[in-house]
Amino acid sequence: SFPTRRSSDLSVLRHYAEPLSGVTSPWLYLGMLFSTFPWHNEDNYLESINYHHAGAPKQWYGIPGTQASTFEDVVRRFHKQRLLEVPDLLHRINLQISPAKLAALDVPVHRVLQRPGEFVVTFPRAYHGGFSLGFNIGEAVNFATPDWVQHARAANEHYRSIARLGVISHDRIMFGMAHNCHLQTDVESCLALRDEVWRLCEEEARMRPHLYRVSGVRDLSAMLPAPGNNVHVCEAEDADFDDTRVCRVCRHTCYASIVACNCSPESLCCLRHVDYVCRCPASNRYLIEWEPVAKLEALARRVDMRLAYLRGEEYVPTPRPW
């Protein structure tokens, strides 16, 4: 006989031991006649599963994740001014556009009527909305399969461009997956993880020396030691620590390093936005490294080894250009 596996064992969010309300711990929803859930996609472009416990049916409308940009173009067309005032309008869950209008503008809209005892699953970046046809009870939670990595990267870069804080630290979950890459069983998913982890590693490896040599930022890592990151699993202390190291400019959670300034304890920023955090001279700024590049690189090579194993190849370390 074979051991059974719970569906939660297949989600990469299992590396988050600290419950995230509505993300890793389910929410219960009570609906009434014509109560709506406006157009939105899931935080960090995660997948979701929704179960209808009892009551009247729920009408869903959905747009494939591959057509998300088409939908967003329509939103920019009709809500240009609002988007200038509220850059993350599409993430506020208060946007209503008629499905008929969207279909008339060549946005592919699908619909499904969910009845008691039925599940509805949404995929990465897929916009969805709808309404209830009467009193009902539903339950929903997020999950992420290993191939979510490519969508996670897109979500992270998009969030940084509009200064939106993600519900989970992108870098933390990526390096957490790298540490637990022995659970990867699919070559394509492992390849996507390998590419993303090396990208994050390269950004740290290239930008830290540049800030020291060119910008004049000081390295105070030895004078201001900080607790290292736990890559095994994210627990309460890790989640609380993440909340304190958010870039003031792009709202990115700084996992491996952060830049601060003497002018204010709130002048924290990621490596990308050192010149935007304040007007102080570079000599006032300092960098704290929570993770040395060598450790990040070791995690990336861990994924390299797992990928070689899945491909049935011999692992041969490749030199990196830094």
Side-chain angles (χ1 to χ4, degrees), residues 134-152:
F135 179 77
N136 54 33
I137 303 174
E139 185 176 3
V141 73
N142 288 115
F143 68 98
T145 52
D147 60 355
W148 164 73
V149 169
Q150 57 185 316
H151 305 289

Side-chain angles (χ1 to χ4, degrees), residues 262-313:
N262 293 332
C263 71
S264 170
E266 296 180 354
S267 295
L268 305 174
C269 67
C270 65
L271 302 186
R272 297 183 186 180
H273 294 114
V274 175
D275 295 331
Y276 300 91
V277 67
C278 63
R279 297 184 177 181
C280 298
S283 58
N284 278 16
R285 299 172 187 147
Y286 55 91
L287 190 147
I288 303 175
E289 298 182 1
W290 285 297
E291 300 293 348
V293 172
K295 183 176 179 180
L296 301 179
E297 184 176 342
L299 288 169
R301 293 195 183 281
R302 189 182 180 96
V303 185
D304 278 346
M305 288 187 282
R306 180 60 179 175
L307 181 61
Y309 172 80
L310 292 176
R311 286 173 164 174
E313 301 172 349

Side-chain angles (χ1 to χ4, degrees), residues 142-201:
N142 288 115
F143 68 98
T145 52
D147 60 355
W148 164 73
V149 169
Q150 57 185 316
H151 305 289
R153 175 180 178 177
N156 184 58
E157 293 301 315
H158 171 61
Y159 283 4
R160 297 182 78 166
S161 71
I162 61 173
R164 175 179 172 80
L165 181 65
V167 298
I168 59 176
S169 166
H170 173 77
D171 295 7
R172 173 180 289 281
I173 196 68
M174 291 300 112
F175 285 113
M177 290 175 65
H179 175 79
N180 295 283
C181 65
H182 59 279
L183 300 173
Q184 292 276 350
T185 59
D186 176 66
V187 171
E188 292 301 320
S189 298
C190 194
L191 180 61
L193 176 62
R194 191 274 304 271
D195 292 345
E196 179 61 6
V197 172
W198 274 116
R199 184 187 71 85
L200 296 174
C201 186

